[in-house]
Amino acid sequence: MKLRKVTAASAVLLALSVAATACGGDDKKDDNSSSGGGKKITIGIKFDQPGIGQKTPQGYSGFDVDVATYVAKKLGYGADQIEWKESKSADRETMLQRGDVQFIAASYSITPERQQKVDFAGPYLLAHQDVLLRADESKIKSPADLNNKNLCSVAGSTSAQNVKKTLAPKANLQTYPTYSACLSGLQSGAIDALTTDDSILAGYAAQSQFKGKFKLGGFKMTNENYGIGVKKGSDLKAKINKALEDMVSDGSWDAAVKKNFGPANYKNEPAPKIGDIKS
């Protein structure tokens, strides 16, 4: 009887040991692991910028989405392991600091002010402030030609204020709630020019319903160095930089530019070197 009791107790202990080992193995898979190989990775993107980052009934699309997907793959995550989270401009630093996302690729310009709060990998795209014009527009050939013209941007935009203060102080600045509203005004003739980053403008102009209706001015009024934001001190920065270098070297970067901006005849800058931030 004693032998049976000892054997039964040993069996129980063995079962518990196996269960504990199995649980321990599962613990190694962190849903939000920053080192790759976990169950999922959460990435911040824009949901409302065609050509950059857009949520559609078919899924997510845009240049930033393609870049983020490539980077995630290099970190060990398949496309089905990515959880996309909307990152509005005003929320980006807070989302990174709280750990809501592992990284953000959302037309996120690298600035000294932002670098005090978060770290940036990249840059991975050099954009410029520009204007979008109707395809048949022939009188607006430089920023100065925007004087006495109806210039549109979204409420609170620094792009429009930059034109108004320094480049065309007599421009009739009108602010709309969204870029889409500006685009409708441009199409109808109520607006003469829409201003923001050229990459964002190219994304809108590249939509099938607008093909051939708009053109970029090509003014290059500012430099906007798009970077991938990570939490301050994160080891992801170096890993993402390596992934971005690979994306350029294997041709995936050029393919993503052509796919997302090509229909707008976007004359993009060459892929920037990592750490080369143009002022």
Side-chain angles (χ1 to χ4, degrees), residues 129-201:
Q129 185 185 339
D130 200 357
V131 294
L132 192 67
L133 307 167
R134 286 184 294 279
D136 60 356
E137 174 61 61
S138 59
K139 295 181 179 179
I140 300 176
K141 298 178 180 179
S142 70
D145 293 331
L146 294 169
N147 281 308
N148 303 311
K149 299 292 185 182
N150 293 327
L151 176 67
C152 187
S153 197
V154 296
S157 165
T158 56
S159 298
Q161 294 298 333
N162 180 50
V163 173
K164 181 72 175 172
K165 287 180 180 178
T166 61
L167 300 171
K170 293 182 180 179
N172 178 24
L173 178 59
Q174 299 184 29
T175 55
Y176 286 10
T178 65
Y179 289 119
S180 295
C182 283
L183 205 61
S184 296
L186 184 61
Q187 190 171 11
S188 70
I191 297 299
D192 297 308
L194 161 60
T195 186
T196 188
D197 296 356
D198 54 6
S199 58
I200 297 174
L201 295 174

Side-chain angles (χ1 to χ4, degrees), residues 24-40:
D26 287 346
D27 285 346
K28 291 178 183 178
K29 290 184 179 180
D30 181 1
D31 278 358
N32 292 305
S33 170
S34 65
S35 59
K39 292 180 182 177
K40 67 179 180 180

Side-chain angles (χ1 to χ4, degrees), residues 6-257:
V6 170
T7 303
S10 299
V12 171
L13 287 172
L14 180 60
L16 289 173
S17 176
V18 170
T21 302
C23 289
D26 287 346
D27 285 346
K28 291 178 183 178
K29 290 184 179 180
D30 181 1
D31 278 358
N32 292 305
S33 170
S34 65
S35 59
K39 292 180 182 177
K40 67 179 180 180
I41 185 168
T42 307
I43 302 172
I45 57 169
K46 290 291 180 69
F47 277 16
D48 59 351
Q49 287 184 346
I52 299 288
Q54 186 179 28
K55 182 180 180 180
T56 71
Q58 291 74 40
Y60 301 88
S61 64
F63 181 71
D64 283 348
V65 174
D66 290 344
V67 170
T69 301
Y70 185 99
V71 168
K73 183 178 180 180
K74 288 290 185 176
L75 294 177
Y77 298 92
D80 59 344
Q81 294 175 297
I82 299 173
E83 178 184 337
W84 301 107
K85 185 165 284 193
E86 183 174 19
S87 299
K88 296 180 179 178
S89 296
D91 301 334
R92 290 177 296 202
E93 286 83 35
T94 302
M95 291 177 71
L96 288 169
Q97 291 167 342
R98 283 194 313 230
D100 296 342
V101 293
Q102 275 62 67
F103 66 82
I104 291 177
S107 55
Y108 202 0
S109 294
I110 302 171
T111 67
E113 295 76 20
R114 289 169 178 163
Q115 286 177 306
Q116 292 178 8
K117 301 175 182 178
V118 300
D119 285 340
F120 285 96
Y124 64 92
L125 182 73
L126 176 59
H128 306 281
Q129 185 185 339
D130 200 357
V131 294
L132 192 67
L133 307 167
R134 286 184 294 279
D136 60 356
E137 174 61 61
S138 59
K139 295 181 179 179
I140 300 176
K141 298 178 180 179
S142 70
D145 293 331
L146 294 169
N147 281 308
N148 303 311
K149 299 292 185 182
N150 293 327
L151 176 67
C152 187
S153 197
V154 296
S157 165
T158 56
S159 298
Q161 294 298 333
N162 180 50
V163 173
K164 181 72 175 172
K165 287 180 180 178
T166 61
L167 300 171
K170 293 182 180 179
N172 178 24
L173 178 59
Q174 299 184 29
T175 55
Y176 286 10
T178 65
Y179 289 119
S180 295
C182 283
L183 205 61
S184 296
L186 184 61
Q187 190 171 11
S188 70
I191 297 299
D192 297 308
L194 161 60
T195 186
T196 188
D197 296 356
D198 54 6
S199 58
I200 297 174
L201 295 174
Y204 277 103
Q207 294 179 92
S208 58
Q209 67 268 36
F210 298 131
K211 191 172 182 179
K213 295 182 178 180
F214 303 111
K215 64 181 179 181
L216 291 165
F219 297 163
K220 297 185 178 181
M221 294 180 276
T222 63
N223 290 329
E224 304 296 335
N225 302 272
Y226 287 6
I228 292 181
V230 298
K231 191 172 184 178
K232 199 78 174 170
S234 172
D235 63 352
L236 274 180
K237 178 179 176 179
K239 296 175 183 178
I240 293 174
N241 278 336
K242 177 62 171 64
L244 292 173
E245 288 176 339
D246 290 345
M247 188 175 187
V248 173
S249 64
D250 70 14
S252 298
W253 188 90
D254 284 324
V257 168

